[in-house]
């Protein structure tokens, strides 16, 4: 179905440098790696949709048709019929002004009947024909992704390129979409190239997995074999950074440093500057992909294959090359930071946060139907549930961004249910008491402001005796003081999230609400940020309400877990009890979806 040979993506510099891939009929091949490895650019090169200013070189054949250098007229005949692209965010594929049925109809050849559109929707698990008349904003995230999949499949392609199709979905919806994709693939004999940074997904559903780093493939082989015995140190590092859903890990360790540019490491092992087993042989020349067994390839010059997650003895350190320094991004021990100060509340065992019988409706939809929970000082409580379960509505209520219809919210003993009813001084005090870290740090950082200016603006809102310097805030989240002069666009995703955390801590809040703070991060960066958040809870005594759909993440950070379903608490308890012996059928389904 697909064969690429020496694929390069070039603009002002080389971004993808010599990728060889093949996908057979009925086969699923995974392409994994950190952000910046070149995965998405590779996907767009395969369908002839590179951004302006970039061009593909080498060879890409789809069903015998050459994509590289082909005229747009030829590409229009190939896209959607021989090869189709499914993207991470269905909003990037679906026009908000067009209905679901219209998206499918424009891809189907010839005249399209309502019955055919309904059949295509049913193929992706949408049995209600009325969905064809709805616009994207009227559908849930999982439903939008199903419609996007139906549109991508409408031309009956031989090959589907799925670029992070489940990253933003909760565990059960993700499981359903992947199972659906597998059924459609088997029914059609379609090839699938699945691009993802979620190693669990790749190893669970892919026949073969290719690991990409700095614009090149560094390891390739059957998914089960790579998961059990990675041959390249980079693959081993990614697997070692995965949080476990089975147990709380003593320490989460990510790979230090960041992915280099492809052209900067063109003649050497691209991973050399981040590898603790580097030798002179690694930088003498670019290691080629070499066979190490049946269907196994690696670009490491050393024989390093071994069980995933196990420590291997370091290689000889003779004649080590001079490598550029890398930023060691592991969070520091938070010894010098001032402790979080919780304003005095009523005496006794009053929790830091107490939510009682919270209710909120949007028209006929009940978002919260009487939710109660509490967070103690210094405690992290996980809040899990599918999209639409009420997690974000609860968080927005606690933050004062909306007023609930009923119930009560108390923060350090102060009733904060209706912020409008508070006086100016009380509102300022509550603002300092609770802060939020969002999923996408770019939405909470002004791109026109330097990091230092953003942090200075935030710390100015702290009480005069509690103000923390910009350099101290950066040190608190494991970033050099020099980063104060940078703007958000000059930072990686993980670095931006660290700045967002520093900004939230600038007023020394008693409670931090973390709303999917690592959902969009690579596994290695995720490990660094989770370890940082664990340190904040442990060393600063800051309470956290940690909202996530990832049960492996909640296992690592939360002492207790609350499970929401359709606006109601269906189970709560210690995280180990909830995940190891779930009592509610819904919780059991959530756990089963990730095991």
């Amino acid at each position: 179905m697909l064969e690429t040979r020496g694929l390069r993506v070039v603009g002002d510099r080389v971004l993808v440098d010599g990728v060889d891939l093949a996908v057979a009929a009925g086969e699923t091949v995974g392409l994994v790696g950190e952000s910046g490895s070149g995965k998405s650019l590779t996907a767009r090169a395969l369908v002839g949709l590179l951004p302006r200013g970039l061009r593909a070189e080498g060879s890409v054949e789809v069903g015998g048709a050459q994509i590289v250098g082909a005229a747009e007229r030829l590409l229009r005949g190939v896209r959607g019929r021989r090869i189709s692209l499914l993207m991470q965010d269905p909003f990037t594929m679906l026009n908000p002004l067009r209905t679901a049925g219209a998206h499918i109809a424009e891809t189907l050849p010839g005249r399209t009947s309502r019955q055919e559109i309904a059949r295509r929707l049913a193929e992706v698990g949408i049995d209600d024909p009325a969905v064809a008349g709805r616009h994207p904003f009227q559908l849930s995230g999982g439903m939008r992704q199903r419609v996007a999949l139906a549109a991508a499949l409408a031309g009956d392609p031989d090959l589907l390129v799925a670029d992070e199709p489940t990253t933003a979905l909760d565990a059960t919806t993700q499981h359903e979409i992947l199972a659906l994709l597998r059924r459609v693939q088997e029914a059609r004999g379609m090839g699938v190239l699945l691009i993802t940074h979620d190693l669990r997904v790749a190893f669970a559903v892919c026949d073969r997995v290719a690991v990409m780093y700095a614009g090149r493939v560094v390891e390739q082989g059957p998914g089960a074999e790579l998961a059990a015995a990675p041959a390249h140190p980079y693959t081993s590092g990614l697997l070692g950074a995965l949080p476990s859903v089975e147990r709380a890990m003593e320490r989460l360790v990510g790979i230090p440093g960041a992915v280099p540019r492809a052209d900067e490491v063109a003649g050497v092992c691209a991973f050399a500057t981040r590898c603790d087993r580097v030798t002179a042989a690694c930088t003498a020349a670019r290691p080629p992909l070499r066979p190490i067994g049946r269907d196994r390839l690696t670009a490491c010059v050393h024989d390093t294959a071994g069980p995933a997650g196990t420590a291997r003895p370091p290689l000889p350190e003779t004649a080590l090359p001079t490598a550029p320094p890398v930023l060691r991004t592991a969070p520091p021990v938070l010894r010098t930071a001032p402790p979080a100060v919780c304003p005095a509340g009523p005496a006794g065992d009053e929790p830091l946060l107490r939510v009682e019988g919270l209710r909120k409706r949007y028209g006929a939809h009940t978002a919260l139907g009487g939710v109660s929970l509490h967070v103690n000082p210094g405690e992290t409580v996980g809040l899990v549930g599918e999209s639409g379960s009420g997690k974000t509505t609860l968080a927005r209520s606690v933050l004062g961004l909306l007023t609930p219809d009923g119930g009560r919210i108390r923060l350090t003993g102060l009733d904060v249910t209706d912020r409008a009813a508070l006086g100016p001084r009380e509102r300022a005090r509550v603002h300092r008491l609770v802060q939020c870290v969002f999923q996408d740090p770019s939405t909470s950082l002004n791109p026109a402001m330097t990091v230092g200016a953003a942090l200075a603006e935030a710390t100015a809102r702290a009480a005069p005796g509690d103000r923390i310097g910009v350099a101290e805030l950066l040190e608190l989240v494991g970033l050099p003081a020099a980063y104060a002069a940078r703007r958000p666009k000059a930072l990686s995703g993980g670095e931006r999230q660290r700045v967002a955390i520093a900004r939230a801590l600038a007023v020394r809040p008693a409670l931090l609400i973390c709303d999917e703070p690592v959902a969009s991060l690579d596994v290695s960066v995720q490990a660094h940020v989770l370890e940082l958040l664990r340190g904040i809870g442990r060393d600063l005594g800051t309470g956290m309400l940690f909202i996530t759909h990832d049960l492996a993440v909640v296992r690592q950070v939360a002492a207790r877990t609350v499970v929401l379903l359709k606006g109601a608490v269906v189970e709560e308890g210690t995280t180990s009890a909830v995940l190891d012996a779930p009592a509610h059928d819904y919780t059991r389904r959530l756990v089963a979806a990730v095991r």
Side-chain angles (χ1 to χ4, degrees):
M1 297 296 180
L2 169 72
E3 184 175 10
T4 74
R5 295 184 299 276
L7 173 64
R8 303 174 84 230
V9 176
V10 180
D12 294 335
R13 54 190 176 87
V14 178
L15 300 170
V16 173
D17 190 11
V19 171
D20 295 340
L21 278 175
V23 182
E27 183 183 32
T28 301
V29 174
L31 188 61
V32 303
E34 295 171 282
S35 294
S37 293
K39 305 186 304 296
S40 292
L41 280 179
T42 298
R44 281 150 181 75
L46 300 182
V47 292
L49 290 174
L50 285 171
R52 187 184 300 274
L54 300 182
R55 69 182 187 277
E57 297 177 352
S59 174
V60 176
E61 290 190 5
V62 178
Q66 179 60 244
I67 300 298
V68 175
E72 181 61 27
R73 177 178 55 81
L74 173 64
L75 291 175
R76 281 197 296 267
V78 172
R79 292 192 205 108
R81 288 165 176 79
R82 290 188 178 179
I83 184 171
S84 192
L85 177 64
L86 176 65
M87 292 188 247
Q88 173 180 344
D89 184 358
F91 273 126
T92 63
M93 289 186 64
L94 303 178
N95 185 332
L97 301 179
R98 309 193 70 180
T99 64
H103 284 95
I104 297 170
E106 71 177 350
T107 313
L108 286 169
R111 294 176 60 88
T112 306
S113 66
R114 291 183 180 179
Q115 291 77 12
E116 180 61 15
I117 291 174
R119 187 182 75 80
R120 297 289 181 160
L121 288 173
E123 185 181 34
V124 296
I126 300 176
D127 297 321
D128 182 3
V131 171
R134 296 175 187 164
H135 291 81
F137 70 88
Q138 296 173 303
L139 306 174
S140 68
M143 193 73 80
R144 284 194 295 270
Q145 194 62 293
R146 288 172 186 266
V147 171
L149 178 58
L153 296 176
D156 299 322
D158 299 321
L159 175 72
L160 178 69
V161 179
D163 189 3
E164 301 278 9
T166 61
T167 297
L169 304 178
D170 56 69
T172 52
T173 306
Q174 180 186 81
H175 182 75
E176 291 169 0
I177 293 293
L178 290 173
L180 167 65
L181 187 55
R182 172 64 79 178
R183 288 196 301 271
V184 173
Q185 178 187 16
E186 290 176 349
R188 295 184 174 200
M190 179 177 65
V192 174
L193 179 64
L194 177 63
I195 299 173
T196 180
H197 66 249
D198 191 329
L199 272 68
R200 286 193 181 89
V201 167
F203 292 135
V205 305
C206 296
D207 304 304
R208 288 187 297 116
V209 173
V211 183
M212 196 167 183
Y213 183 78
R216 66 186 75 165
V217 173
V218 297
E219 184 166 6
Q220 191 173 147
E225 291 186 25
L226 261 65
H232 197 283
Y234 177 58
T235 311
S236 182
L238 291 176
L239 288 166
L242 275 174
S244 171
V245 74
E246 307 289 343
R247 60 183 177 86
M249 302 166 70
E250 184 176 345
R251 183 170 177 79
L252 297 165
V253 181
I255 305 172
V259 180
R261 294 178 175 178
D263 57 343
E264 294 175 345
V265 289
V268 299
C269 172
F271 192 60
T273 58
R274 301 174 74 188
C275 183
D276 58 5
R277 296 184 290 278
V278 62
T279 67
C282 302
T283 55
R286 173 174 173 170
L289 272 176
R290 61 184 178 91
I292 56 170
R294 185 179 179 183
D295 298 327
R296 291 291 304 273
L297 299 169
T298 182
C300 183
V301 299
H302 305 288
D303 294 324
T304 57
T310 60
R312 299 177 181 83
L315 296 168
E317 297 184 358
T318 57
L320 287 178
T322 300
V326 295
L327 175 62
R328 299 286 169 174
T329 53
V333 178
L334 308 179
R335 289 188 295 265
T336 60
V341 177
C342 298
D349 297 325
E350 177 73 19
L352 170 62
L353 170 70
R354 183 183 292 279
V355 175
E356 298 175 320
L358 211 62
R359 301 189 305 278
K360 182 67 179 180
R361 291 177 62 88
Y362 298 100
H365 173 67
T366 299
L368 297 173
V371 170
S372 298
L373 58 81
H374 70 278
V375 179
N376 293 315
E379 181 186 35
T380 297
V381 174
L383 187 62
V384 303
E386 296 173 313
S387 298
S389 60
K391 304 188 302 295
T392 298
T393 299
L394 176 62
R396 289 172 62 85
S397 298
V398 175
L399 288 166
L401 300 176
L402 59 83
T403 302
D405 299 330
R408 188 169 68 161
I409 304 170
R410 295 181 66 83
L411 191 59
T412 65
L414 178 68
D415 191 330
V416 297
T417 311
D418 185 358
R419 297 289 178 90
L422 300 177
R425 295 185 64 180
E426 287 182 316
R427 282 200 295 271
R429 176 190 170 198
V430 172
H431 175 77
R432 292 192 293 268
L433 280 175
V434 58
Q435 289 289 298
C436 188
V437 178
F438 297 96
Q439 175 177 342
D440 184 359
S442 62
T443 62
S444 52
L445 299 176
N446 186 334
M449 296 179 69
T450 65
V451 168
L455 295 181
E457 179 187 61
T459 197
R461 294 178 175 269
D466 292 338
R467 289 176 183 170
I468 310 172
V470 169
E472 189 175 5
L473 279 171
L474 288 171
E475 181 185 2
L476 183 65
V477 296
L479 293 175
Y483 272 44
R486 299 189 182 187
R487 284 184 166 79
K489 68 178 182 180
L491 306 180
S492 68
E495 289 168 342
R496 283 195 295 269
Q497 193 63 295
R498 285 173 181 265
V499 172
I501 293 170
R503 189 172 185 271
L505 294 173
V507 295
R508 297 175 65 182
L511 176 68
L512 197 61
I513 295 180
C514 299
D515 191 359
E516 300 280 10
V518 296
S520 61
L521 302 179
D522 302 318
V523 61
S524 180
V525 178
Q526 180 187 88
H528 287 312
V529 173
L530 287 178
E531 190 64 24
L532 169 63
L533 290 171
R534 293 205 303 190
I536 288 169
R538 178 183 63 246
D539 299 335
L540 297 186
T542 306
M544 293 190 208
L545 183 63
F546 199 100
I547 300 170
T548 181
H549 64 252
D550 191 330
L551 298 187
V553 166
V554 83
R555 169 77 83 171
Q556 306 308 317
V557 298
R560 289 190 298 112
T561 295
V562 177
V563 183
L564 277 185
L565 173 63
K566 296 180 179 178
V569 175
V570 296
E571 187 164 356
E572 66 175 301
T574 64
T575 299
S576 58
V578 169
L579 297 186
D580 294 339
H584 195 276
D585 181 63
Y586 174 65
T587 313
R588 286 193 288 269
R589 293 203 308 272
L590 288 178
V591 172
V594 295
R595 287 184 174 170

